[in-house]
Amino acid sequence: MSYGFSFNGRHSKDFGIIMRSTNRQLLPLINDQYIDVQGRSGSYLFPGEIQDREIQLDCAFMSKDLPDMRKIVHNIAVWLYTHDKAILSFDDEPGVYYRGKIASQIDFDHIATLGQFSLVFRCDPFAYGAEESLSFANDAAVIINHGTAETPPRFKAIFTAAADEWKVVNQDGYFIRIEHDFQEGDTLEVNCITGGIYVNDARKMDALDWQHSIFFPLRVGANTLEIMPKNICNTQVFWIPRYY
């Protein structure tokens, strides 16, 4: 079976491309800093986060003749060029995708009607799964993050009663508190990915209790969340699993 990849909404098979992975990093470079101090054995470690990931592929395709080859080459160039990052996925990793774009020039060569080129994608550090969601029941929810890395949640609430605040608390006592004169029927969105706060779809950053709130992530495995005050709203939580 021949595996391929999808990028920018199209599959490599659309161009007759045969793919071979040359480097799909097990783990990207970690941005650690080490400081050597005179008179001390060893060094001090200042831990960092993982950097962007590079994915390298070798590709080949057959054409009918040289004019047909040039036509295919131009179509491939249009497909691979993007202004922003696009979704990249592989047939041998079902249910998982990356976000990236071409990181360097693409050189092309051919032997008769066999065309060959290599690709380097610079991607986000993590791979992603499909977005999941859960509705709170009695203002509580247990979320299972099936990914292998922490991931930021997103909350949406519809108020069923008037309230002067909304707060979500996790199992470690960290919380996000929004202070606002909420009325029945109001909506609230709290996006821990972007840090955005929206009341009735209007940005409302001054409603955040920024001195005490923490945009906490969902840890790997079970997470217990609670909404306060009780019985003022219906809340949903959304999250995208992340994978190293």
Side-chain angles (χ1 to χ4, degrees), residues 117-137:
F117 58 94
S118 297
L119 301 176
V120 179
F121 291 95
R122 180 167 177 167
C123 302
D124 291 351
F126 301 101
Y128 303 99
E131 184 178 62
E132 300 183 42
S133 65
L134 183 68
S135 295
F136 282 68

Side-chain angles (χ1 to χ4, degrees), residues 132-134 136 143 153-155 218 225 235-239:
E132 300 183 42
S133 65
L134 183 68
F136 282 68
I143 294 102
R154 180 169 57 92
F155 301 92
L218 300 178
L225 304 181
T235 302
Q236 279 185 293
V237 57
F238 303 81
W239 70 97

Side-chain angles (χ1 to χ4, degrees), residues 54-73:
E54 282 197 351
I55 295 177
Q56 301 173 15
L57 310 174
D58 284 343
C59 300
F61 66 90
M62 293 294 299
S63 62
K64 295 181 296 184
D65 50 37
L66 292 182
D68 182 54
M69 174 176 288
R70 297 314 307 175
K71 180 179 179 181
I72 295 173
V73 165

Side-chain angles (χ1 to χ4, degrees), residues 137-210:
N138 298 320
D139 294 311
V142 177
I143 294 102
I144 307 298
N145 175 14
H146 293 103
T148 59
E150 294 182 335
T151 189
R154 180 169 57 92
F155 301 92
K156 283 189 174 182
I158 300 176
F159 283 81
T160 57
D164 57 9
E165 71 169 16
W166 176 94
K167 182 166 72 171
V168 58
V169 186
N170 76 357
Q171 65 282 336
D172 300 314
Y174 296 116
F175 63 84
I176 304 167
R177 176 162 47 215
I178 309 300
E179 298 174 308
H180 181 75
D181 182 20
F182 293 107
Q183 301 299 315
E184 182 179 355
D186 283 350
T187 62
L188 169 68
E189 180 176 349
V190 178
N191 192 325
C192 294
I193 303 171
T194 63
I197 307 295
Y198 301 88
V199 176
N200 297 327
D201 297 325
R203 193 171 178 86
K204 190 69 176 174
M205 295 305 301
D206 60 349
L208 174 67
D209 176 12
W210 58 270

Side-chain angles (χ1 to χ4, degrees), residues 59 61 69 107-111 114-118:
C59 300
F61 66 90
M69 174 176 288
D107 295 323
F108 176 76
D109 66 79
H110 67 93
I111 302 173
L114 172 65
Q116 303 174 88
F117 58 94
S118 297

